[in-house]
Amino acid sequence: MDKIKMQTPIVEMDGDEMTRIIWKMVKEDLLLPYIDLKTEYYDLGIESRDRTDDQVTRDAAEATRKYGVGVKCATITPNRSRMDEYHLKKLYKSPNATLRSALDGTVFRGPILVKGIEPYVRTWKKPIMLARHAYGDVYKNSEIKIGVPGKAELVFTERETGIEHRQLIHDFDGAGVVQGIHNTDQSIENYARTCFNYALSHKMDLWFSTKDTISKTYDGNFKDIFQEMYDREYREKFEAQGCTYFYTLIDDAVARVIRSEGGFVWALKNYDGDVMSDMLATAFGSLAMMTSTLVSPSGAYEFEAAHGTVQRHYYKYLKGEEESTNSVATIFAWTGALRKRGQLDGIEALVRYADALEKATLGTIESGFMTGDLAAITTLQNVTKLNTEEFILKVGENLRNELS
Ligand code: NAP
Ligand code: MG
C-alpha cells in the first residue's frame, strides 16, 4: 500500500515524561507505517525549553499560527520541585498559556465516548464540548486584604481627559477583602466568534451562560456581545443548519446540562469553564478520555490530550516496572490534527485515515482490550488489561484490518 502523502506540515510539539514515551510509540506504530508524515518538529520537553530559554515554545506557537494546524504532547509546567528535579534556570510559563496567548485562542474540551465506559449521568448520549474563555476575570485580578476600617472604591480614570468615575464598593468597619477584575470587549468578541464558528463547523447547538441577573453590567456585557454578534452575523447560518444559539442563566444551564442528552457546545466564562470542565471530565468517566482543542479566531487549531504527563506512571516506567497508561487522548490529538490538515489541504485519504484510526481505537476498547484506568471502571465483562505498549500494538492490529 502506498503511504499517504501530505502537502503542508503539521506543527508537532513533543513533550515530557510518560506522554513523551507514548508519543513515540503512537508515531512509530500507528502513523509512520501509513503516512509520509510531514511535520515541523518542536521539542517542548522541559530540557529543550530550558536550553532555549523557552524560545522553542514561542517558535512553535508562531509556526502553529503560520501553518494553521498543530498537535501537542503533554508538557511539564514547572513548579519549585520540578525546578530542582530538572535543574532549571527558571520557572517557565506553562507552554499551554504561551500558546493560548500567542494564538488568542479558546480551548474546547470534549469527551471521547465509547461503549463500556458509561457517563455517570445516565441521560448523556452525545459529547458535551466545553468552551472556556481564556482571558481575564479572576485570573488577572488585583486584590487587597484589608486590616483596618476604611473605604474601598472602584475608580476609572479616562486616559485623554483625566475624568474620574467612582463607585463605592464597601465602607469597611473592620477587616475584610476586596478584589478588582476586568475583561475587554475585544477578547470577548474573539471568544464569541470562535464559539459560533466552532459550533457551526461541528453542526452543534451553542449554549452560553453567565450570572447576568446578579452581575448586570459585567456579565450583562458578555451576554450582549454574544447576542448582538449572533443576530448580526450568525443567526442565518445557524438557522440554515438547523442549529440554535441559546442563552440562559448559569444555574438554569447546569440543571439543563444534567438533564440533557448532550450534543452541544457549552460556552462559559473563564472561572465557570475552569470548574465545569473538571466536573464534565469526571462525569464522562475518565480524564484520560478527554481531548482539548485550542482554536484561534484566525482559524488556527492546536490539538492535544487534556491530561498531563502522567508522572507517577513515568517513574514506574523508569524503574522498569510495568505500567498501563491510556494513549487514547494522545491518539485522538493526532487524528484531530491529521483530519483538519486533510480537510484544509483537500487530502481525502488523510481524513479517511483519521476516521479509521479512531474507529480502530474505539473498537479495541469495545472488544474488551483496554488499559488499567478503563478496566477499573468499564461495564464490559471479560476484559483484558493491557500495558501501554500492548494497547497501542492492539490498536495497530485493528487499524490494519480497518484499512485493508
Ligand atoms: P496528570 O498527568 O493528568 O495525571 C494525574 C493522574 O490521572 C495520574 O497520576 C493518573 O492516575 C491519571 N491519569 C492521567 N492521565 C492518564 C492516562 N493517560 N492514563 C492513565 N491514567 C491517567 O496530572 P498531574 O499528575 O497533576 O500532572 C503531571 C504533570 O503534567 C505536571 O508536571 C503538570 O504540570 C503537567 N500537566 C500538563 C498538562 C498539559 O500539558 N496540557 C495538563 C495537566 C498537567 P493514577 O496515578 O492514579 O494512575
Ligand atoms: Mg480546573
Side-chain angles (χ1 to χ4, degrees), residues 113-250:
L113 298 190
V114 57
K115 280 198 216 72
I117 309 299
E118 304 305 327
Y120 288 98
V121 180
R122 270 170 312 177
T123 47
W124 290 354
K125 304 277 181 261
K126 299 182 221 159
I128 297 169
M129 302 298 302
L130 191 137
R132 172 184 169 188
H133 185 211
Y135 176 82
D137 300 353
V138 71
Y139 302 85
K140 272 203 187 296
N141 71 358
S142 127
E143 42 187 30
I144 306 175
K145 172 96 186 88
I146 285 162
V148 296
K151 207 160 62 169
E153 288 178 302
L154 200 56
V155 183
F156 172 72
T157 313
E158 291 185 25
R159 190 179 293 159
E160 303 268 297
T161 60
I163 294 172
E164 285 188 354
H165 304 256
R166 262 171 203 280
Q167 244 185 56
L168 178 69
I169 298 172
H170 189 66
D171 209 343
F172 286 88
D173 292 326
V177 280
V178 64
Q179 175 186 65
I181 60 172
H182 80 280
N183 224 299
T184 68
D185 283 7
Q186 176 74 60
S187 172
I188 302 168
E189 279 164 17
N190 281 344
Y191 171 60
R193 176 159 285 114
T194 310
C195 290
F196 285 126
N197 286 340
Y198 188 93
L200 270 181
S201 73
H202 288 76
K203 298 197 169 49
M204 286 169 128
D205 291 345
L206 175 67
W207 296 17
F208 180 51
S209 46
T210 71
K211 192 76 181 177
D212 70 298
T213 46
I214 299 299
S215 170
K216 292 187 170 60
T217 306
Y218 196 102
D219 282 15
N221 190 52
F222 278 81
K223 177 186 174 181
D224 292 346
I225 287 176
F226 266 75
Q227 192 62 52
E228 280 157 24
M229 187 179 286
Y230 180 67
D231 292 339
R232 195 175 60 234
E233 295 176 41
Y234 288 99
R235 183 181 289 278
E236 274 174 32
K237 292 180 195 153
F238 268 64
E239 285 173 358
Q241 283 201 355
C243 293
T244 50
Y245 166 66
F246 169 61
Y247 176 86
T248 187
L249 195 62
I250 187 158

Side-chain angles (χ1 to χ4, degrees), residues 13-76:
M13 292 166 264
D14 209 342
D16 288 301
E17 300 193 314
M18 203 58 217
T19 40
R20 190 179 179 99
I21 309 291
I22 288 177
W23 195 259
K24 188 155 174 282
M25 290 179 185
V26 167
K27 275 180 69 179
E28 280 174 4
D29 296 330
L30 304 178
L31 307 180
L32 294 173
Y34 304 102
I35 306 172
D36 234 340
L37 197 63
K38 203 167 164 187
T39 69
E40 196 163 291
Y41 179 85
Y42 292 87
D43 185 358
L44 301 199
I46 188 70
E47 280 125 345
S48 155
R49 277 182 276 150
D50 195 43
R51 204 163 44 241
T52 61
D53 296 310
D54 212 21
Q55 186 58 39
V56 67
T57 310
R58 294 185 288 275
D59 291 346
E62 190 46 47
T64 306
R65 204 203 332 243
K66 174 172 158 199
Y67 292 116
V69 182
V71 59
K72 179 179 168 292
C73 179
T75 46
I76 290 170

Side-chain angles (χ1 to χ4, degrees), residues 72 74-75 77 82 96 288 304 307-310 312-313 325-326:
K72 179 179 168 292
T75 46
T77 299
R82 295 300 205 162
N96 290 69
E304 63 175 291
H307 61 76
T309 61
V310 213
R312 200 180 66 83
H313 296 209
T325 314
N326 189 334

Side-chain angles (χ1 to χ4, degrees), residues 337-393:
L338 290 166
R339 181 181 294 111
K340 180 55 78 181
R341 192 72 276 167
Q343 287 165 346
L344 292 175
D345 295 353
I347 306 174
E348 189 62 33
L350 211 51
V351 177
R352 276 202 309 271
Y353 167 85
D355 293 343
L357 178 51
E358 289 184 359
K359 201 163 162 221
T361 307
L362 299 179
T364 303
I365 299 170
E366 288 173 355
S367 64
F369 296 91
M370 58 191 77
T371 45
D373 57 312
L374 298 185
I377 58 170
T378 185
T379 52
L380 298 177
Q381 307 291 317
N382 303 321
V383 160
T384 309
K385 178 183 155 184
L386 303 178
N387 69 28
T388 310
E389 181 157 39
E390 287 167 347
F391 178 78
I392 293 171
L393 291 174

